[in-house]
Amino acid sequence: MMFDINTYLQHEKWNKILRLSETKSSPFLVVDLDCIQSNYMDMVGLFPRFNIYYAMKANPAHEVINLLKKMGSYFDCASTYELDKVLESGVHPDKISYGNTIKKIEDIAYAHSKGVRLYVTDSDADIENIAKFAPNAKVFVRILVDGGDTAEWPLSRKFGCHPTMAVHLLIKAKKLGLVPYGVSFHVGSQQQNISSWNEALVKVQAIFKQLQEKNITLNMINLGGGFPARYKKYINPLQDYANSINRYIDEYFPNCEDLELVLEPGRSLVGNSGVLVSEIVLISHKSLSDKARWVFTDVGLFQGLFETLGEAIKYPIYTTAMASSKQCESVILAGPTCDSADIMYEETMYQLPVENKIGDKLYWLTTGAYTYSYSSVEFNGFPPLKVHYLE
């Protein structure tokens, strides 16, 4: 499934975005809430046995939280700040998971005081803190899994532990008075290889069996996120992921009626809901003989495009000059700040019309995830990214 820009431009919301770009100062993000609602309904329909815990870090805006709450979503929080946001929206603590393995003692105690009873862990020190400051809580252990080679934004190494240690931690949880509840993993964000979930579930099955031999029955499998949004590269349809993952569950956990199955999507729910509107600030060359055209925009790594770091995520880009241009040339795209790292694409060599000039708008598509939340507060004095919501 490739990104089809022509289909995108025919969408009824596109004219609203164009009108906003004519009346509002850039840069700003436009988020289509109907799109998020549709994505959530698709995921529920394809994974009917799963509870959907929205990974808030993708876009923690109240507008998104309120929408997903109405849809019945659960929420994965990574900090007390995210926790406060969902609680302010009236989400019941039973529908919240503290999904960060790295947390302060006072944060555990605070979450427990607010009614949160489900925590992830991957270390002895953390599980001891949970036992002391969130007594009787349910814990699940995140394990290390492969998948970094086929994920555009890998999440390995920093989070998770070896499956052998996971068994140790879950046994320890029971001894400490906690409820050993389940196992989680994350195969990497924007994961292209569906079989990564298969390899991870083989490890989870082995952990379940080892604990069953210790008279400990686990009740949850958290398969994390990783489902891709549609950027420039081909991706598999979500239906393909659902078909395979549901088959893996049936194969490895045939009697799973009593299991809580969990997904933690973020990017796949909100990614295609966003359009980041920017303006060309400057077009230049580095020497009289240099043919490389540098295009500087009023949005860069520090205004929400952090995932272009290392050119990992390649956003589709549109400019109205494309409709009539007869010639496009490679450009280097860079942001407005006084930081030499603020270059989005130099190796990828995006193609833009030769007719583009200073003041033209550039539209960064599929930018609903990890843009608003990555936008800096005041680097070089630039304010946080403004957001407009379409309903």
Side-chain angles (χ1 to χ4, degrees):
M1 183 186 298
M2 297 291 288
F3 185 90
D4 184 355
I5 197 163
N6 291 321
T7 300
Y8 199 98
L9 299 179
Q10 293 170 11
H11 194 278
E12 62 184 56
K13 298 291 177 70
W14 181 248
N15 286 332
K16 292 184 179 181
I17 295 170
L18 287 178
R19 286 196 296 271
L20 279 173
S21 70
E22 293 169 356
T23 59
K24 304 291 185 182
S25 297
S26 66
F28 61 85
L29 177 69
V30 182
V31 174
D32 181 355
L33 294 174
D34 288 344
C35 181
I36 297 174
Q37 178 173 314
S38 177
N39 291 340
Y40 182 86
M41 292 175 65
D42 287 345
M43 184 155 286
V44 170
L46 291 170
F47 295 95
R49 295 179 291 181
F50 286 76
N51 288 332
I52 309 300
Y53 280 71
Y54 172 56
M56 288 181 59
K57 59 184 179 290
N59 185 330
H62 281 296
E63 290 83 354
V64 176
I65 297 169
N66 291 336
L67 169 67
L68 291 175
K69 181 208 168 198
K70 291 177 184 177
M71 301 294 293
S73 180
Y74 293 69
F75 293 85
D76 166 45
C77 296
S79 70
T80 56
Y81 308 103
E82 289 187 345
L83 172 60
D84 284 342
K85 276 198 165 186
V86 290
L87 292 175
E88 288 166 8
S89 293
V91 177
H92 194 279
D94 286 348
K95 303 197 79 169
I96 301 171
S97 164
Y98 203 123
N100 192 345
T101 61
I102 306 160
K103 44 197 177 288
K104 295 179 178 179
I105 288 172
E106 54 262 40
D107 293 344
I108 297 170
Y110 180 79
H112 187 260
S113 74
K114 294 296 184 180
V116 177
R117 296 294 181 265
L118 181 61
Y119 299 81
V120 70
T121 189
D122 65 0
S123 67
D124 280 292
D126 184 59
I127 207 166
E128 289 165 6
N129 289 337
I130 295 172
K132 186 174 181 179
F133 296 97
N136 305 312
K138 296 185 288 190
V139 293
F140 59 102
V141 176
R142 179 164 171 172
I143 60 170
L144 289 165
V145 296
D146 299 325
D149 292 341
T150 49
E152 291 188 27
W153 198 265
L155 294 169
S156 59
R157 295 186 65 241
K158 182 178 179 182
F159 307 104
C161 64
H162 190 276
T164 302
M165 186 170 183
V167 172
H168 155 77
L169 290 173
L170 289 163
I171 293 172
K172 183 171 184 174
K174 185 174 183 180
K175 291 179 180 177
L176 292 174
L178 297 168
V179 179
Y181 194 59
V183 179
S184 74
F185 59 84
H186 200 300
V187 296
S189 191
Q190 198 71 7
Q191 179 57 255
Q192 301 290 337
N193 183 12
I194 300 176
S195 66
S196 295
W197 278 270
N198 179 60
E199 296 164 11
L201 284 168
V202 169
K203 295 180 180 180
V204 174
Q205 181 193 42
I207 293 170
F208 268 60
K209 287 181 178 179
Q210 290 178 61
L211 286 165
Q212 194 68 56
E213 294 169 359
K214 303 288 185 180
N215 295 316
I216 295 176
T217 300
L218 299 179
N219 300 101
M220 183 187 78
I221 306 172
N222 183 332
L223 288 77
F227 306 108
R230 201 184 308 174
Y231 299 116
K232 284 178 69 68
K233 290 176 62 175
Y234 172 86
I235 63 168
N236 300 299
L238 186 61
Q239 177 78 62
D240 291 356
Y241 288 84
N243 291 344
S244 295
I245 289 171
N246 284 315
R247 187 176 71 252
Y248 300 151
I249 292 292
D250 290 337
E251 179 178 353
Y252 301 125
F253 302 92
N255 302 309
C256 66
E257 293 82 5
D258 296 328
L259 276 179
E260 181 182 0
L261 300 174
V262 170
L263 295 177
E264 292 180 350
R267 186 187 305 279
S268 58
L269 286 185
V270 300
N272 66 337
S273 72
V275 176
L276 182 50
V277 180
S278 70
E279 181 180 311
I280 296 176
V281 176
L282 189 69
I283 300 173
S284 70
H285 299 265
K286 294 301 180 184
S287 73
L288 294 175
S289 60
D290 185 13
K291 293 183 179 181
R293 186 166 48 134
W294 285 72
V295 175
F296 296 91
T297 77
D298 60 0
V299 66
L301 266 70
F302 303 97
Q303 288 78 45
L305 295 177
F306 184 78
E307 287 201 315
T308 63
L309 189 68
E311 307 193 21
I313 300 298
K314 299 174 179 60
Y315 297 105
I317 297 175
Y318 177 75
T319 176
T320 53
M322 289 176 174
S324 57
S325 176
K326 296 181 179 179
Q327 183 180 0
C328 288
E329 290 182 351
S330 297
V331 299
I332 299 168
L333 284 162
T337 66
C338 294
D339 191 307
S340 60
D342 195 8
I343 300 172
M344 288 80 79
Y345 301 117
E346 187 171 8
E347 301 298 327
T348 305
M349 301 304 287
Y350 272 63
Q351 300 286 311
L352 289 181
V354 295
E355 294 91 344
N356 271 141
K357 61 187 183 299
I358 293 171
D360 284 356
K361 292 292 193 298
L362 290 184
Y363 300 90
W364 305 71
L365 311 181
T366 318
T367 45
Y370 302 105
T371 47
Y372 161 72
S373 54
Y374 266 138
S375 176
S376 66
V377 175
E378 198 179 349
F379 184 62
N380 265 178
F382 290 101
L385 194 60
K386 297 183 291 258
V387 188
H388 301 280
Y389 294 91
L390 301 180
E391 297 189 39

